[in-house]
Amino acid sequence: MSRLRCLRTSIDAAAAYLGAEVAAPVAAPSCVVEGDQGVVMFEAGGRKRLRSMRWGFPRLTREMRVRGEDPGIIGLVADLTNPMWEQMVVDPRYRCIIPITHFANPDGDAGKKTRTWFSLNDTAVMAWAGFCRNIPDVGPCYAGMTMEANSAVMPYNDRMPVLLEQGEIERWLRGAIDDVIAFQFRRPVAAARIEVIHTDSPWRGGDPPPAATQIDLI
């Protein structure tokens, strides 16, 4: 999956879809890439809240330390058996939901790639299953879980977000590790529900999806 997604609706609309509250002012940049601040819903003390966090956990391998490199960023969870995730994914405290309206993949020839956006045609807000944690020296950060793409997304990328239905949010936030595994390895959302939006906007530094503001969220 690519590392570009959007929340092209209001914070209040996203909160209403997720059954969450906005405890403090939350900025919602229309497009987010790894390393940017994005909007996340997490549960604490029985209350679901929206807040801003950095997209991407710090990643520093032994080889990177030897070379004196700064930590990298990893914002996608594709392999649950990776030692990096072994403690986090089993603990419901670290589950979160990433509200999005679109995710993108590059399309076209090298050097001329454009943005192709993907959304659902039956709901404006999508609930992307994720993990979050407060990391020393970094602060609150998160990553989204990916799965095998459906046939609508596969021509552009073999991975896509793990998208939850509204009725599955509680199971994601509070379920056991078996639930996490089941969500990642089940069949993806049906390709017939995916709206593919082709654009001429350049992949790097391009515009957000033009159709997003026309979606009725009521």
Side-chain angles (χ1 to χ4, degrees):
M1 178 190 156
S2 78
R3 293 163 171 82
L4 173 63
R5 48 91 170 180
C6 278
L7 180 61
R8 292 285 284 167
T9 187
S10 70
I11 290 295
D12 288 342
Y17 181 83
L18 298 175
E21 61 183 270
V22 184
V26 177
S30 61
C31 289
V32 180
V33 297
E34 281 183 330
D36 288 348
Q37 294 289 309
V39 178
V40 172
M41 186 268 277
F42 69 103
E43 187 173 45
R47 300 167 65 186
K48 299 181 181 68
R49 303 177 182 178
L50 288 184
R51 67 162 298 169
S52 295
M53 300 184 190
R54 188 186 82 164
W55 184 9
F57 292 105
R59 178 179 180 272
L60 185 62
T61 65
R62 182 179 304 174
E63 292 77 13
M64 294 169 70
R65 289 192 183 96
V66 170
R67 294 193 295 265
E69 298 177 6
D70 293 330
I73 294 177
I74 180 167
L76 302 175
V77 181
D79 181 5
L80 294 175
T81 66
N82 187 311
M84 178 175 182
W85 311 119
E86 62 184 5
Q87 294 182 348
M88 188 182 310
V89 301
V90 300
D91 193 333
R93 292 181 300 167
Y94 303 127
R95 311 269 174 79
C96 68
I97 299 291
I98 309 159
I100 62 175
T101 56
H102 301 79
F103 61 95
N105 280 303
D107 189 17
D109 298 328
K112 299 180 180 179
K113 292 188 180 296
T114 56
R115 294 181 170 188
T116 292
W117 295 97
F118 303 87
S119 62
L120 291 183
N121 55 29
D122 54 6
T123 182
V125 179
M126 297 181 280
W128 182 10
F131 304 93
C132 63
R133 197 165 187 175
N134 198 341
I135 304 293
D137 301 323
V138 175
C141 49
Y142 68 94
M145 192 162 69
T146 67
M147 68 190 313
E148 182 178 345
N150 61 25
S151 59
V153 178
M154 186 65 74
Y156 308 88
N157 201 307
D158 62 1
R159 306 291 293 180
M160 66 179 289
V162 174
L163 301 176
L164 306 176
E165 306 296 339
Q166 273 184 308
E168 296 175 328
I169 290 175
E170 295 295 330
R171 180 181 164 207
W172 170 255
L173 292 175
R174 301 175 185 177
I177 183 59
D178 289 345
D179 294 295
V180 173
I181 295 170
F183 277 124
Q184 186 171 48
F185 291 100
R186 70 178 180 180
R187 293 176 63 87
V189 62
R193 296 178 62 192
I194 296 286
E195 180 179 2
V196 183
I197 305 170
H198 299 283
T199 76
D200 295 324
S201 187
W203 175 247
R204 296 187 182 277
D207 297 321
T213 56
Q214 300 174 13
I215 297 175
D216 186 357
L217 292 164
I218 304 301

